[in-house]
Structures are given as structure tokens and as C-alpha cells.
Amino acid sequence: YHKSEPIWVPVTLGGYYEVSVEKMMVGSTVVGASRQSFGRTIVDSGTTYTYLPTTTYRALKQGVEDYCRSGNKCKGTHSGSCWKIPTKYDGLASFPTISVTISGTAIPWRPEGYLYHKGDGDQFCYGFDDNGPMHETVLGATWMVENDVIFDLGAQKMGVAPANCPQYRERPRGPGGEARVTWQEIQAEIAAGGP
């Protein structure tokens, strides 16, 4: 369920859905200042992470970390590509929203998307990574989390709308075991507007 109307941007059809990423910002810090910073950009729901050219990846990671160090804004302890966040999901609100500008339109990338919960503890890790020798960007599933992403192929445009997506933080048991979440519970959660 959309929280607001979709933000529409042009998409080029080919072997992949291509968009023109022009800029990323963490707070007021620009981490990619031109289309050349991102190379060719595709949107791919079949790719889990979001991959960026090396220089842009490093600048984005540094931008998040600088934001968090500035006045101890983020409620977590940084280590490598992960953060220990004692308040878990509630602590994500203290992290910055990344602004991704596509064809002149800014689209928010919230921490619930670019940080994923690793394991059972309080560790959250970056859902974006270095694309190695490829000078191109792949906006993967981590960029889409907590959004409805709509492809209008006839009009060659893509819409992104913040959404109330259900959160399942415990995996149901496998075959032969009792499921932790029943279909009725899922339907009730959706009918109630999400978690």
C-alpha cells in the first residue's frame, strides 16, 4: 500500500530497465555528482544488493559514516561494512536517508533499505557494494525495499512510492514444522495497514 503517490522517472527498455542516475547525496554531502559517476544504471529486482562503481561506492560508504560521526547522530557502533545497533530496527531511524537523483528527480533511499539485519543479533550491514571493474550501477532489491516500484512499459517510465510493506523478521519453520506466521496472520496484518 502506497504511503504517497509514486515519483515517476523515465526508463529505457532494452535487455534491462535503464535509468539515468545523476547524483546521490547523504545529507548535504554529494557522493556522486554526475551521470559519469554511476556509468550505465540498471534497475534489477533479481539482484539483491545495489552495486556502484568503486569511487562512488567508497564515497557513499564514507558519506554515511561521516554523517554518523558528525555529532554521534547514528545510534550504532561501526565496524567494517556493518553497524551494531542495540535498539535494532528502531535505531535505523537515526541513520541518514540517501537521496538518489534520477533524471532530475530525487528519490529517497531509506536506511531500512540500504542496511540489512544480519543474523539474529543486533548487526546491520550495508546492502550496497563495490561493482569491481564494472563502471556501472545496479539498483538492486536493497534499493527497492519499503517501496512499490512500478514499471509502466507502455509509457517508458518507472514509479517509486514509499509503501507499507509487511516485515517478517522470523523465518517460518520448514516442511514438517509448524509455521511461525500463518496466512491468516499475514492477511490480517495487510488489512490493518502493515506492522
Side-chain angles (χ1 to χ4, degrees):
Y1 299 92
H2 300 338
K3 293 179 183 178
S4 63
E5 289 300 310
I7 298 168
W8 293 96
V9 295
V11 64
T12 303
L13 308 175
Y16 296 97
Y17 300 125
E18 290 188 39
V19 295
S20 179
V21 175
E22 299 164 345
K23 179 170 60 172
M24 280 190 186
M25 293 182 69
V26 178
S28 60
T29 302
V30 176
V31 295
S34 68
R35 187 168 182 210
Q36 289 76 22
S37 301
F38 302 96
R40 181 180 104 160
T41 300
I42 65 170
V43 180
D44 185 12
S45 63
T47 300
T48 303
Y49 282 9
T50 291
Y51 292 96
L52 302 158
T54 300
T55 303
T56 306
Y57 159 74
R58 288 179 182 158
L60 180 58
K61 186 174 180 285
Q62 190 66 51
V64 171
E65 292 162 11
D66 288 349
Y67 174 94
C68 289
R69 270 193 297 273
S70 172
N72 291 324
K73 292 177 184 169
C74 302
K75 295 180 178 18
T77 306
H78 175 248
S79 177
S81 291
C82 297
W83 292 82
K84 183 176 180 176
I85 305 174
T87 56
K88 293 188 179 181
Y89 293 94
D90 291 338
L92 292 177
S94 67
F95 284 78
T97 294
I98 297 166
S99 175
V100 180
T101 301
I102 299 174
S103 298
T105 303
I107 298 174
W109 187 15
R110 290 175 295 285
E112 296 83 1
Y114 70 80
L115 290 171
Y116 70 91
H117 188 213
K118 184 175 183 179
D120 293 330
D122 56 3
Q123 189 174 40
F124 288 76
C125 299
Y126 292 125
F128 57 88
D129 209 344
D130 187 342
N131 207 7
M134 302 292 292
H135 188 77
E136 64 182 28
T137 298
V138 179
L139 299 176
T142 58
W143 182 75
M144 298 179 200
V145 168
E146 296 294 323
N147 290 305
D148 284 333
V149 179
I150 306 148
F151 293 94
D152 182 340
L153 303 181
Q156 293 192 342
K157 62 183 182 177
M158 175 183 73
V160 180
N164 290 316
C165 299
Q167 294 287 317
Y168 301 104
R169 297 181 180 147
E170 289 187 34
R171 181 178 295 203
R173 294 186 185 144
E178 191 176 303
R180 292 184 185 165
V181 178
T182 67
W183 177 242
Q184 290 79 15
E185 290 170 323
I186 293 170
Q187 287 177 318
E189 185 173 285
I190 292 169

